[in-house]
């Protein structure tokens, strides 16, 4: 399947944008809903490690973390000889 986060990133790139500045992940849950591993990696390709990621459920935003919190020791664009976001 293709999660909402990856679908949003694909649409962003198709529209000519290349940088994610903030993320909101919302689910039909009582607790905060974090992005899956595949979405975390895709976010890493288009977002800086300090980008805020808001985790929300039915009650609204429950917790805010950074991409670095969600994906420590991550593989990013800098390992491909490309400039990192920001």
């Amino acid at each position: 399947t293709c999660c909402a986060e990856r679908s949003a990133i694909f649409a962003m790139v198709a529209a000519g944008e290349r940088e994610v500045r903030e993320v909101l992940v919302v689910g039909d849950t009582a607790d905060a809903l974090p992005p899956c591993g595949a979405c975390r990696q895709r976010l890493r390709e288009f977002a800086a490690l300090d980008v805020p990621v808001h985790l929300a459920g039915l009650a609204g935003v429950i917790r805010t973390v950074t991409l670095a919190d969600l994906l420590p020791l991550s593989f990013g664009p800098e390992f491909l000889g490309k400039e990192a976001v920001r």
Side-chain angles (χ1 to χ4, degrees), residues 5-80:
E5 298 93 314
R6 282 181 282 156
S7 294
I9 291 169
F10 298 150
M12 175 193 78
V13 171
E17 298 297 324
R18 295 289 184 265
E19 182 180 357
V20 173
R21 295 185 183 158
E22 193 166 9
V23 179
L24 173 63
V25 181
V26 181
D28 189 11
T29 62
D31 297 321
L33 183 68
C36 74
C39 288
R40 292 176 195 208
Q41 181 58 44
R42 186 67 68 229
L43 284 166
R44 177 66 174 94
E45 295 173 23
F46 295 97
L49 289 170
D50 64 348
V51 162
V53 180
H54 308 287
L55 309 176
L58 295 173
V61 174
I62 298 168
R63 185 173 179 191
T64 298
V65 297
T66 65
L67 183 55
D69 294 328
L70 290 174
L71 200 58
L73 299 171
S74 64
F75 182 90
E78 63 275 13
F79 291 103
L80 299 173

